[in-house]
Structures are given as C-alpha cells and as structure tokens.
Amino acid sequence: MSRVRVAEDEKQLKQLPQVDLWLQRADRVITDADKLIVQSPLHVEKLCMRGCCSRHPRSTHKFGKQIATILQEVNGLKENGDFSDVACKPPIPSANKRPSDPTVGLESYVNQVWSCLQKEQVGIIGIYGLGGVGKTTLLNQINNKFHDTTHDYHVIWAVASQDRPIERVQDEIAKRIGLSNEGWKSIEEKAEDIFYVLRKKKFVLLLDDIWEWIDLTRAGVPLPTQGNGSKVIFTTRRRDVSCQMQPNMDNNFRLESFKQFKEKVGSETLQMHPDICKLAEVVFPWVGKEMFPKLKFSYDCLADEKVKSCFLYCSLYPEDKSIEKDELIHCWIGEGLLDEHTNLSSARNRGHFIIGSLIDACLLEKQGNHRIKMHDVIRDMALWIAGESEEKFFVKSGVQLKEQPKAKKWEEVIRMSVMDNLIENLTDILACPNLQTLFLGRNCLKVTNNDFFNFMPMLRVLDLSHNMNLKELPVGIGKLVSLEHLNLSFTPIRKLPIELKALKNLKYLNLERTKRLRIIPQLISSFSKLQVLKMEGCCYQCSLVLEEMKHLNYLNVLTITFTSTSELEKALGFNKFISCAIEHVSLEGFRDSRSLNILALANLHPLYSLELSGYMVIEDVKIESNIIEGVGCFHSLRSIYLFDCNQLRDASWIIFAPHLERLFIRDCQGLEEIISEEKLSEVAELKGNSNLFSKLEFLHLNNLPKMKTIYRHALLFLQLKRITILNCPMLKNFPLNSNSAKGRRLIIEEDEGWWKDVEWEDESPQIAFFPSFKHR
C-alpha cells in the first residue's frame, strides 16, 4: 500500500489491476482474521486437558478449520504478492469524449472554427463572448469532432481559473500527457518538463475559460507559430484578453447571443411584432459583473429568504462540478435552512422541492436524476450576492490550494469552502465565532492542529470526506458543541476519538467507506439526537452498531454493511432496525452460507442501492416460487452492484427490481448469465416478460470470463444510455434487436472488435461502438 500511494500520489501513475485485486483479497483476509482473533478467547475457554481436548469438539473443530483456511490463504497471498511494479503510466487516448448539450444556434460557429483549424498558417484561435452564451459548449463540440475523426493530433483539454491560472493549466496538461509529479517546486520546473514532452508532439490545446492573458511559454507550451503544426483554441469572456492572445481578429470568433437568437427563431417569427427584436436587444448586451444585477432578478423572485440562502449555499461547491442532491439537502438541514421543527422526511421533501424550484428558475441545472450543477456565471453571481449581503462567504474550492488560506476578517465568515484542493496541513488556528459551515473535503489532509476547531462554537456542518491521508481526527473536534452534520466518508481513519461524545447535537454522521475504521469506543449511543447514520462499507462490526442503535430514539435513516448470514438474520429480527429507512445495504463476505434468500431484504424500505461483494461463497440466490407477492418487491431499488461473487451462476433475482437504473457486475468468475430463463419460468407472472430492463440507464459488465448471455430473448431498453462490455470473451448473444431501443441510439463501450462476433436477435439496433479506455 505504501508503494501504491507513492506511485499514485507522487508520480501520478495508475495502480496495476493485478495489484488492486491482490490488495482487495488481502484486505478481505485481514478482516476475516480480525474476526477470528476477536472470537479466539471464547474458543480457548472451551479447551481442556492442557489444550489437547475440547469440551465442545464440533465448535472447536469448525473454528480450527476456519483458522487453517485463513492461514492457507495468507500463504498463497504472500507467495503471489511479490510485485516488481505496482503501477504504470495510464494509457493516453488522442481525445476524450466530452459531454455536450445540443448546439442551439451554434452550428455555424462550429463549422467556422473547424474550418479555421484546417488552415496551416493559423496556430491560435480565440472564442469570446459573455458568460453563458455557449463558449464551453462550442469548445466541447470541437473536442468531440477530434474524437470522432481520424487525425494525428494529441488533444489536451484544460480549464483555467481566476485563481492561479498558469498552475492549474500546467497541472491539467501534465496529467493529460502522463507526466508524474516529480516534486516540482516552481512553475518554471514544471514548464521545463511539459515543454520537453510537448515539443515532440503535434498537439491541440483546448483552453477553456481564461480570464487574463496567459503566457503559454511560461506554462511550458510550445508556441504553435513555431511551425510544428500544433494548435491552441481558447475561450474567454473578455474581448481584450482574446486580442492579447491572438492579435489577428480574423482568427477570433465572437459568440453573440442575439445573433444566435435570430438564427434559431427565424426571420418569420422576428417580423411578427416590432417589439420582439427590441426586447431581445435589451436582454443580451451585458457582460461580466454588469450582468449580475439583471440576472439577480431571478434570485429576487425566489419564494423566501430560506430558499435564497439554499441557492447561495450551492456556490460553496467547485466551479463546473456536479453536486449530489441528497448530500446538499442534508447540509441544508444541518445548517437549519429547512424547517427545523418538521421531521426528517418532510425536511428532505422540502429540500427536493426547493431544488426543483431553483431548476425551474434556471438557477440550477439538472444532471441526471440524482445530481445538479450550477453554471459558472450563476455561481459568480451567487458569490457576488453573498459578498454584498450579510451572508459572508469564503470560497476557494477547486483552485489548487496547497496551503491553508489566509484571511483578514475570519470573524465575519459564516460559510467557508476550501474543498477539492491539495491542502496537507491545518496548523494555523482560526478564530471564526460565526462560522456555520466548513467544507474541507477532497484535500490531502495529513496533519491537523489539535486546537484547530477550538474557536468555532457555532459550526454546524463539517465535511472532511475524501481525504485519503487522514488517519486520525484531532481531539479538539470535541469542542464543536453545535455540530449537527459530520461527514468522514472515504477516509482511512482507524478510530474515532472519545472526545466526540461531547457532540450532543449531532444529527448526521457519515462513515461510509471508512475501510480502516476498527474502533468506535461506544460513541454512537451517546449521539442521542442522531437521525442519519451512514455506515455502508465501514469495517466496524455490524453487531456492535445494532446494539448501540437501541439508544437512538430519533434514528430515521441508515446505510449498513453485513458480513454474514447470522448478522443479517439478527438485524432483520430487530424492530429498531426494521423501523428505519434503510437506503443502502452491502452484503460483504458471507462466508458462513452457500445460499441466500434475497427476498429477506424485501421489508427494508426504501432500499435504493444493494451491493454483493467480498469473495462470497454463495452459490445460489433463491427465487422462491411460492412467494408470488414478492414479484417486484424491490420497487425502490435503483442500483445493484455485484463484485467478486465467484460462485454465482446467474443473477436472476434482479427481476424483483422493476425500476432498476444502474447494474454493475464485475469480477464474478463463475457467472454465466444474468437472467436464467429456467429460473424465470418458476414465477408464472414473469414468463415472456420483455420489460425486465425497461428503466435501466447504465449496464456495466467487466471481467466475466464465463458470461455467455444476458438473457436469451430480446428486451426493451427504453431508458438505456450506456453499456460497457469489457473482458467478457464468451458473451456472444446479446438481448437487442431493432426494436429494443425504440429508435434511440445506444452507446456501447467495448473491447476492440468484440461486437463483430455478437449475434443479434434480428436486424441490429442503432448502436455507436467505441473502444474502452485502454484501447483508445
């Protein structure tokens, strides 16, 4: 693990698949061994005759066999764990496909820029126009044209920023061309390495959202004017910046919203009334901050001050990053922005209603069913409004900060976000008497001063998630007596400090994917107001969690991992557990049984996500023919993940999830089919049912060496957006025909040439195939 961390964090290499597999197996063996160690004192007590005999021979014999099995696995792992290399440079595709909205009114601009690119004497092309006019969308379209055509360019996408633009551009270029972090200490050192690589390549640099003139030479980018055939295309909101970067105005393209409006609407509509053109001209001329007062009209029309605060809160997240709806709503609840006197369910519903109203007001953008995004212009306006109001924000998210930021008036700050940076140490103590939200997630935190949280008495929301070097919490975290929301997910912390007992107001605790967490010193039961407890993927023993749950009278939402049939059965017989809203469940290991009655989980509501993983020995997931009422019993289930279930031959039980949206199956060595027609015939109501995957959006199949078919007959995929088929050499029969997608175009990511041997039910559907990352 030390070698992997050095390779990934410092050298920007990619962990080898065989190393990842070995580490997963080792982690599972360590977990199993830890459980045996905990049980060992009980078995030692059963011995007699100086350890030669046992008073319970059957139990002792079984325990001994478990130990022998673990030791055998340990020896096997040690023999196969001597890797000369643990990581390698990731393959670099010529161009990555980028998501892009339809080019409403931009078609002519795409053609003009593409035509200009073909001119040998043109090296730099500028695209400028006011925020929100479609510059990034246009650049996305240019990028995707490179992806879809044959060429000899190396295409690099980089986004600048208002803060430290050269450093950010350098980091994105370095990552794209496969440069590792060689301990660069300055811009100049990094530029030298970038130049050394790029000078040998014919490249296209797509540089989005620059705010000032960027010295390409200082960044290490060879100037395209040096006759190497390379190109640079940039976007900016400012005409003067565009002229500085490219003085020849013939190679600068101004995007005009009024011109696009006229092209899209058409002359006939424009001539219907003389005021149409006048009003359009009034709407479109403002640029930059001059536009904010006009855009603010949508903000001023929001229902009340709480809704306005919810909108401003979204600007704490990094520019151009999507935001998970549930995560955002729980932060709103933690800050008290939703009615604190309603129950949790009503507050969450209120949160979803507010998100819907902000989308309707065009202040947020929908990103699928579960995420949203704030346009960078709207985000700038929100930060401008926050700066003008009493809600003082300090926002430096996603700007490549490496050190703890400085500010003159910490006492005025109410919300602070430095998430998505490179900060390692928090050594300076901040006096923030009014701070209510602090986002520190997605950094590189290693060291935090024990007194760092001492002077934040009003803090209600703290996010430390996705800090992959954070092994322990400062004891001073116990001083946060007002804290209601604590997110520690995806961190390698090993124990929770006993000082957390002081957090009497805590209502939300997220410990998901804390794979190293072993010690929670009877803390959970002390959080008497706790409403949400997320522990899926946490290594802390489930039985101990269930014991402490007895004291949590307000617990409403739970996610959890079970590691054995006995654990699951105990939980299902526990009324406090059943009464909670169980949203995500992971079944991991389950080495004490070879069969599983999946319908035992049918009483868990509303179960959104279910994962089976951890080298299970389960051979059969039963579909009981006498439980007809079970058909479609997982109505709320949206995501299913099957990993390392090597003994399973099929996954026919997924027919009980009629609203399934995402199905991911990976590394199941014995899986031969997803839905068995034979098993389906056991449930009369499902015979000949072609709607099994009618709600499915994403299907991902990887490393299934025995997989022969998904289902033997064609199915309707009415919502399917993407299929990924990798390392499935036996899969030759696919449940698609010309009617499967109802005229929609399907995208399949596959091993190069896999689709040529596939047998379709009849005429093949309209499909776009493209190779997986490793083949691009």
Side-chain angles (χ1 to χ4, degrees):
M1 279 302 298
S2 298
R3 292 173 64 197
V4 168
R5 288 194 192 101
V6 169
E8 291 184 335
D9 297 344
E10 298 181 13
K11 299 182 179 179
Q12 304 300 308
L13 302 181
K14 182 176 177 60
Q15 181 176 300
L16 293 171
Q18 60 267 35
V19 174
D20 180 49
L21 186 62
W22 189 92
L23 287 171
Q24 288 182 40
R25 289 173 176 164
D27 197 44
R28 193 260 305 161
V29 168
I30 290 168
T31 300
D32 290 349
D34 285 346
K35 291 175 183 173
L36 292 181
I37 291 168
V38 170
Q39 297 171 22
S40 62
L42 298 175
H43 288 276
V44 170
E45 290 176 3
K46 297 174 184 177
L47 299 178
C48 60
M49 302 285 292
R50 296 185 178 180
C52 296
C53 297
S54 171
R55 287 186 290 272
H56 300 277
R58 184 175 297 176
S59 172
T60 301
H61 177 67
K62 182 181 178 182
F63 186 66
K65 284 182 67 177
Q66 290 175 324
I67 290 175
T69 301
I70 290 288
L71 288 174
Q72 188 176 357
E73 292 185 63
V74 168
N75 288 332
L77 282 166
K78 283 186 173 182
E79 289 174 5
N80 298 312
D82 186 16
F83 297 98
S84 57
D85 294 305
V86 296
C88 64
K89 286 190 176 182
I92 304 169
S94 61
N96 285 332
K97 189 88 171 181
R98 291 188 60 81
S100 181
D101 297 323
T103 53
V104 178
L106 290 177
E107 293 85 355
S108 62
Y109 287 109
V110 173
N111 294 332
Q112 289 175 52
V113 174
W114 190 255
S115 176
C116 189
L117 271 170
Q118 312 311 312
K119 298 176 182 178
E120 188 176 342
Q121 71 275 19
V122 177
I124 299 178
I125 298 173
I127 301 168
Y128 69 97
L130 61 83
V133 77
K135 300 183 297 297
T136 300
T137 301
L138 173 56
L139 204 60
N140 277 331
Q141 289 290 320
I142 297 298
N143 176 86
N144 292 346
K145 280 180 80 75
F146 277 111
H147 178 275
D148 297 335
T149 57
T150 303
H151 57 85
D152 57 351
Y153 286 106
H154 190 89
V155 182
I156 303 167
W157 179 282
V159 180
S161 64
Q162 296 185 56
D163 298 290
R164 304 162 65 94
I166 288 185
E167 290 97 319
R168 179 164 180 176
V169 168
Q170 284 184 318
D171 287 342
E172 297 202 25
I173 291 175
K175 190 186 303 180
R176 186 69 180 85
I177 62 179
L179 273 182
S180 59
N181 184 354
E182 301 295 345
W184 292 308
K185 295 180 180 178
S186 66
I187 291 176
E188 289 69 28
E189 287 182 6
K190 194 181 297 186
E192 187 176 335
D193 286 354
I194 290 172
F195 181 82
Y196 182 78
V197 175
L198 287 184
R199 69 186 178 89
K200 302 175 183 178
K201 296 182 180 292
K202 186 179 178 183
F203 64 87
V204 174
L205 174 60
L206 303 177
L207 195 52
D208 191 32
D209 198 25
I210 68 173
W211 288 76
E212 59 188 31
W213 174 73
I214 289 183
D215 187 342
L216 295 175
T217 302
R218 187 171 182 234
V221 179
L223 292 178
T225 53
Q226 294 172 356
N228 55 10
S230 296
K231 310 281 184 180
V232 174
I233 312 174
F234 64 87
T235 69
T236 179
R237 300 184 192 181
R238 299 171 60 95
R239 183 178 182 275
D240 58 336
V241 171
S242 192
C243 293
Q244 287 175 323
M245 294 290 293
Q246 171 52 282
N248 186 344
M249 290 308 295
D250 290 339
N251 301 329
N252 279 317
F253 295 87
R254 179 186 178 190
L255 264 63
E256 300 178 78
S257 48
F258 184 53
K259 180 180 178 182
Q260 294 177 54
F261 174 77
K262 289 194 294 183
E263 288 181 2
K264 198 64 185 175
V265 170
S267 58
E268 184 178 343
T269 303
L270 289 172
Q271 293 170 8
M272 288 176 60
H273 194 283
D275 288 346
I276 292 178
C277 281
K278 293 178 182 178
L279 288 170
E281 287 176 343
V282 168
V283 171
F284 291 129
W286 292 283
V287 177
K289 290 186 178 179
E290 296 82 6
M291 184 171 53
F292 292 164
K294 310 299 177 184
L295 289 175
K296 188 173 177 286
F297 179 75
S298 297
Y299 168 83
D300 291 334
C301 290
L302 294 175
D304 54 45
E305 293 305 313
K306 288 278 181 80
V307 176
K308 291 177 180 177
S309 291
C310 287
F311 163 71
L312 296 179
Y313 202 97
C314 298
S315 66
L316 296 174
Y317 293 86
E319 184 177 311
D320 291 323
K321 292 292 179 69
S322 62
I323 307 168
E324 189 176 337
K325 288 182 183 178
D326 285 342
E327 175 188 310
L328 175 64
I329 289 171
H330 279 294
C331 288
W332 286 348
I333 293 172
E335 254 236 21
L337 298 179
L338 305 179
D339 193 347
E340 295 184 75
H341 301 293
T342 60
N343 60 43
L344 181 63
S345 178
S346 298
R348 292 171 79 176
N349 289 338
R350 171 67 175 161
H352 282 288
F353 176 81
I354 289 174
I355 287 176
S357 67
L358 293 175
I359 292 172
D360 291 342
C362 297
L363 293 173
L364 291 178
E365 301 172 10
K366 191 176 180 181
Q367 300 272 293
N369 293 329
H370 308 288
R371 306 182 79 87
I372 52 171
K373 182 181 174 183
M374 180 177 263
H375 191 280
D376 56 350
V377 175
I378 301 299
R379 181 175 180 270
D380 288 345
M381 180 195 71
L383 292 173
W384 171 75
I385 293 172
E388 297 290 317
S389 68
E390 294 181 0
E391 299 195 38
K392 299 297 182 184
F393 285 22
F394 181 91
V395 181
K396 294 285 184 182
S397 52
V399 296
Q400 307 290 297
L401 285 182
K402 295 181 180 178
E403 296 179 353
Q404 183 178 337
K406 311 289 184 183
K408 292 181 179 179
K409 298 182 179 180
W410 287 118
E411 65 275 6
E412 295 181 358
V413 178
I414 293 178
R415 295 176 187 137
M416 177 179 176
S417 175
V418 289
M419 68 190 308
D420 202 11
N421 282 300
L422 304 171
I423 301 170
E424 293 187 358
N425 302 317
L426 295 174
T427 52
D428 295 343
I429 299 172
L430 307 182
C432 303
N434 296 304
L435 189 65
Q436 295 188 35
T437 288
L438 176 57
F439 284 171
L440 290 165
R442 298 186 185 277
N443 273 284
C444 304
L445 292 181
K446 293 180 181 177
V447 177
T448 303
N449 189 318
N450 274 331
D451 299 325
F452 179 78
F453 296 112
N454 281 13
F455 303 102
M456 303 177 184
M458 301 293 290
L459 192 66
R460 299 176 62 151
V461 176
L462 175 60
D463 187 344
L464 290 164
S465 64
H466 293 272
N467 275 287
M468 305 312 293
N469 297 316
L470 185 63
K471 296 181 180 179
E472 60 181 0
L473 298 175
V475 295
I477 197 170
K479 297 291 181 66
L480 300 177
V481 293
S482 299
L483 198 66
E484 296 191 13
H485 178 111
L486 178 58
N487 189 348
L488 299 171
S489 61
F490 292 90
T491 59
I493 55 172
R494 301 178 185 276
K495 67 176 182 178
L496 297 183
I498 192 67
E499 286 78 9
L500 285 178
K501 277 195 172 186
L503 307 185
K504 300 297 183 183
N505 290 303
L506 198 66
K507 297 178 181 179
Y508 175 101
L509 177 61
N510 192 339
L511 299 173
E512 288 189 328
R513 303 295 165 179
T514 50
K515 289 287 187 180
R516 302 294 174 189
L517 183 59
R518 296 286 195 275
I519 302 173
I520 304 178
Q522 291 190 327
L523 278 172
I524 293 176
S525 57
S526 66
F527 304 139
S528 59
K529 295 183 179 180
L530 199 65
Q531 297 177 344
V532 179
L533 177 59
K534 297 197 169 192
M535 297 193 70
E536 184 191 16
C538 172
C539 276
Y540 189 63
Q541 290 187 40
C542 174
S543 56
L544 298 178
V545 175
L546 294 174
E547 193 65 32
E548 294 202 60
M549 277 176 57
K550 295 177 182 178
H551 308 284
L552 302 179
N553 296 327
Y554 298 100
L555 189 64
N556 186 277
V557 174
L558 180 67
T559 73
I560 198 165
T561 291
F562 296 104
T563 58
S564 67
T565 306
S566 56
E567 273 189 355
L568 178 60
E569 289 175 351
K570 180 180 178 181
L572 293 174
F574 182 31
N575 289 335
K576 181 66 179 178
F577 174 78
I578 295 294
S579 65
C580 288
I582 314 295
E583 295 186 341
H584 306 283
V585 167
S586 174
L587 307 182
E588 187 176 316
F590 272 61
R591 304 177 69 80
D592 60 343
S593 177
R594 294 192 176 275
S595 66
L596 173 68
N597 178 15
I598 199 70
L599 294 181
L601 300 173
N603 292 327
L604 305 184
H605 298 290
L607 188 60
Y608 297 132
S609 165
L610 178 60
E611 177 180 319
L612 277 68
S613 64
Y615 303 96
M616 286 183 160
V617 296
I618 288 175
E619 298 174 355
D620 183 36
V621 178
K622 295 183 180 299
I623 298 177
E624 299 183 12
S625 57
N626 62 328
I627 309 182
I628 300 301
E629 66 270 19
V631 176
C633 59
F634 293 110
H635 279 287
S636 58
L637 195 57
R638 297 295 186 267
S639 302
I640 292 177
Y641 305 89
L642 302 180
F643 304 145
D644 304 306
C645 299
N646 293 330
Q647 307 303 318
L648 282 182
R649 297 291 177 265
D650 67 88
S652 302
W653 58 273
I654 66 174
I655 61 176
F656 294 111
H659 302 295
L660 190 66
E661 296 174 359
R662 292 172 296 278
L663 177 59
F664 292 80
I665 305 180
R666 188 190 72 214
D667 299 323
C668 297
Q669 304 301 312
L671 199 70
E672 296 176 0
E673 55 187 344
I674 294 182
I675 299 177
S676 163
E677 189 172 19
E678 180 182 347
K679 284 194 175 180
L680 223 60
S681 65
E682 297 174 11
V683 184
E685 283 76 2
L686 290 174
K687 288 181 180 178
N689 189 351
S690 62
N691 293 320
L692 298 177
F693 289 118
S694 60
K695 300 293 179 67
L696 197 68
E697 296 181 6
F698 300 98
L699 174 62
H700 183 99
L701 307 176
N702 189 0
N703 195 22
L704 308 173
K706 293 185 179 180
M707 169 77 77
K708 297 176 182 177
T709 181
I710 293 174
Y711 185 54
R712 294 176 188 174
H713 305 290
L715 297 170
L716 290 176
F717 291 95
L718 303 180
Q719 306 294 330
L720 197 61
K721 297 176 181 177
R722 190 184 192 93
I723 303 173
T724 301
I725 311 287
L726 302 174
N727 305 310
C728 301
M730 303 291 289
L731 183 57
K732 304 301 180 187
N733 185 285
F734 215 74
L736 291 176
N737 63 16
S738 55
N739 198 42
S740 291
K742 291 290 185 183
R744 293 170 59 253
R745 188 168 181 253
L746 295 180
I747 296 176
I748 297 184
E749 179 184 6
E750 43 87 36
D751 287 323
E752 197 167 27
W754 164 84
W755 60 273
K756 295 175 182 177
D757 298 323
V758 172
E759 297 177 8
W760 310 104
E761 287 291 317
D762 56 14
E763 179 186 348
S764 66
Q766 184 183 6
I767 296 175
F769 292 96
F770 66 94
S772 66
F773 184 84
K774 67 179 181 179
H775 289 298
R776 287 182 202 159

